[in-house]
Amino acid sequence: IRRQMNLQKYSELAKRTCPDLGDNFLNNIHMIFGMSTEIGELTDGFKKDLAYNKLIDWVNVEEELGDILFYIVNFCTINNLDLSKILDQNIAKLQRRFPDKFTEQLAKNRDLVGERKVLEGYSQIKLINEPE
């Protein structure tokens, strides 16, 4: 029986298998390089589909996404960043950018000042559909 993993439990389990290089700078570089490497591996499968007609291996896609999450979660842990807060902040920014839905016009004509204000103080902004 498969159970759903929550973010807190995943963070705890991912931290257990994350090496400590003895220095936060080195640990950060390791996590950033890891993210980049795994994004490259994910990209490679799609490149092979595009260029060589090789079918996308969706099991591998899921694996690479999991590896990317490993590095993201551990980067957050190393730097005492709250990933749940980051997720909330990102949605608040996107809701500012696209109040109703994605449009190409809004994507091209972003209100960077307004988005920055959301990023700096989003917790004071009520999210759409947030319970009262």
Side-chain angles (χ1 to χ4, degrees):
I1 296 175
R2 294 183 186 180
R3 58 189 166 99
Q4 288 189 331
M5 178 73 60
N6 69 47
L7 198 51
Q8 170 107 18
K9 185 69 172 174
Y10 181 84
S11 295
E12 292 168 13
L13 294 171
K15 181 180 178 181
R16 185 183 64 79
T17 59
C18 184
D20 182 353
L21 303 181
D23 177 88
N24 270 1
F25 178 78
L26 294 175
N27 288 333
N28 280 325
I29 295 300
H30 177 211
M31 296 301 107
I32 291 167
F33 284 177
M35 285 181 237
S36 179
T37 300
E38 298 301 337
I39 295 266
E41 290 179 14
L42 177 63
T43 303
D44 189 57
F46 286 85
K47 177 209 64 173
K48 289 177 180 172
D49 176 56
L50 177 70
Y52 313 125
N53 258 350
K54 183 177 180 191
L55 293 177
I56 294 172
D57 178 351
W58 289 99
V59 171
N60 182 256
V61 168
E62 290 177 341
E63 176 191 2
E64 301 309 340
L65 290 171
D67 291 345
I68 294 164
L69 281 170
F70 170 86
Y71 288 107
I72 290 171
V73 163
N74 281 305
F75 181 86
C76 289
T77 299
I78 291 164
N79 293 288
N80 296 315
L81 300 172
D82 181 343
L83 188 53
S84 291
K85 177 182 172 185
I86 292 167
L87 297 175
D88 288 341
Q89 182 180 21
N90 181 253
I91 291 299
K93 177 193 75 173
L94 291 171
Q95 288 174 334
R96 170 67 187 226
R97 186 179 301 169
F98 307 111
D100 298 313
K101 65 177 185 171
F102 174 86
T103 69
E104 202 171 303
Q105 180 182 1
L106 290 173
K108 289 179 180 177
N109 299 298
R110 294 170 44 194
D111 173 11
L112 297 178
V113 172
E115 287 181 21
R116 180 64 188 212
K117 287 179 182 177
V118 169
L119 294 172
E120 291 175 350
Y122 80 98
S123 61
Q124 298 171 5
I125 295 173
K126 184 173 174 52
L127 296 177
I128 296 171
N129 297 329
E130 183 179 67
E132 297 193 353

